[in-house]
Amino acid sequence: MSDTVLPTPLLEVLPNTFLKCEFLHPGRSHKARVARALIDDAERRGVIVRGGGTALIERTGGNLGIGLAIEARIRGHELVLVTDPGYSRIKKEIAGRLGAKVVDRGVSHPECADNEAAVQSILRGDPGRFHYLNQFGNPANPAAHEQGTGAELLAQLISRGHGRDTRVTLVSGLGTGATARGVSSALRQWFRVVEVVGVEPPDCDLLADRHGEHGLQGFAVGQAAPFFPSGELDAVVPVTDGEVAVAGTRLFEEHRVFVGPSSRANFAAVLKTRPASAGNVVVSFLYDRGEDYE
């Protein structure tokens, strides 16, 4: 199996304002990098062996599930995904078509308050059968973004002539916080000043650890981001549903880009941050594809 991962391009949406096009990754999103890293890590440590009978299990809203389904199928691992009832039906269908067994918590484990509880219930019911990849606790997750996403972004910014004194503002939603952690760590290997701005969904307060109901799948998922505590953020930018919709329309009309809600939210937050200049670069991510949502 080739280890080559083609870099995803940067889209310059405004002068010195860039969005990394992770939706163009062959695995359909930035989480495909994490999927590869999580399984690589488990195989390297000998926790799982191809054809060894140990099944993989993970809780996911969709993007990671698709990435894991691709990797598991290629490598011959059985995969069970525990998903949230409110997340994209299309993503669940894609993961299923790629060979994963998709468990909808609302149907199969209605007694469980969240996906983690459902995973633990499955593990208790069949001890020894599964290896839990655990994206929320596995250091291979942020490492994938430091060594992959972040290293690519760093090289792309340097190739555009940005020196060590360029001030970089990284705008990112927080789910596990792995993207913000890994990418900011990579950027700080070169740039002297890197600020991280969190995107705050409607009805949430990241600094108060309040995660309300909202439509930005993958952001503020009901728990604090384990890999990037909100107290480390340099700023928080709230976005409204209206601002997210306007940002999505603008991306489509100006750049012919059709992306998911969290990607639109990132762009909405970018538009509300400090204006970029020759000495101040703003960067964010277009995580996944708009057609993967209902």
Side-chain angles (χ1 to χ4, degrees):
M1 181 180 64
S2 173
D3 289 329
T4 302
V5 177
L6 296 176
T8 59
L10 288 184
L11 176 65
E12 188 167 11
V13 288
L14 293 165
N16 294 300
T17 302
F18 302 96
L19 301 177
K20 190 157 176 58
C21 297
E22 289 290 274
F23 71 98
L24 294 177
H25 192 286
R28 305 185 75 85
S29 82
H30 65 310
K31 289 295 186 76
R33 301 175 186 270
V34 177
R36 175 177 288 210
L38 293 177
I39 298 181
D40 279 348
D41 173 70
E43 289 183 343
R44 189 179 305 115
R45 292 187 292 113
V47 177
I48 56 174
V49 179
R50 302 184 191 194
T54 300
L56 304 176
I57 189 169
E58 183 56 78
R59 58 170 169 140
T60 171
N63 283 333
L64 180 60
I66 292 172
L68 287 173
I70 292 171
E71 291 296 323
R73 181 166 182 167
I74 290 171
R75 304 175 193 224
H77 295 300
E78 183 183 353
L79 173 66
V80 174
L81 302 172
V82 178
T83 67
D84 194 282
Y87 277 61
S88 169
R89 172 187 56 81
I90 295 173
K91 291 182 182 180
K92 297 173 189 178
E93 289 180 354
I94 293 173
R97 291 176 67 182
L98 288 167
K101 178 182 179 182
V102 180
V103 176
D104 190 307
R105 171 174 55 84
V107 175
S108 300
H109 297 273
E111 75 285 358
C112 294
D114 54 36
N115 290 348
E116 176 65 20
V119 168
Q120 294 303 323
S121 176
I122 292 171
L123 293 175
R124 287 192 302 271
D126 199 350
R129 171 166 161 68
F130 295 99
H131 171 63
Y132 181 20
L133 292 165
N134 191 14
Q135 63 166 316
F136 281 83
N138 193 325
N141 186 354
H145 289 300
E146 181 173 359
Q147 298 163 12
T149 326
E152 282 180 21
L153 178 56
L154 175 60
Q156 288 166 325
L157 292 176
I158 291 174
S159 73
R160 285 168 166 77
H162 294 291
R164 293 175 63 85
D165 291 326
T166 298
R167 186 187 192 100
V168 178
T169 301
L170 175 66
V171 178
S172 179
L174 299 180
T176 66
T179 304
R181 174 62 68 208
V183 172
S184 64
S185 295
L187 294 177
R188 285 172 176 145
Q189 294 173 18
W190 173 255
F191 296 109
R192 292 190 174 94
V193 179
V194 177
E195 295 182 334
V196 181
V197 175
V199 183
E200 185 165 275
D203 299 319
C204 293
D205 186 336
L206 295 183
L207 299 181
D209 194 22
R210 180 170 64 82
H211 308 279
E213 295 292 331
H214 59 83
L216 303 181
Q217 297 179 23
F219 282 12
V221 294
Q223 67 178 81
F227 295 113
F228 205 103
S230 57
E232 294 187 32
L233 292 169
D234 294 285
V236 173
V237 174
V239 294
T240 66
D241 291 335
E243 289 168 339
V244 172
V246 168
T249 299
R250 183 167 174 178
L251 281 171
F252 185 73
E253 292 182 348
E254 296 181 9
H255 303 285
R256 307 302 191 266
V257 170
F258 181 47
V259 290
S262 57
S263 303
R264 300 171 209 159
N266 275 349
F267 184 44
V270 162
L271 295 173
K272 299 174 74 172
T273 60
R274 180 192 301 109
S277 64
N280 175 43
V281 169
V282 177
V283 294
S284 190
F285 311 98
L286 300 179
Y287 297 120
D288 60 9
R289 307 178 186 208
E291 62 267 30
D292 287 354
Y293 295 81
E294 284 86 348

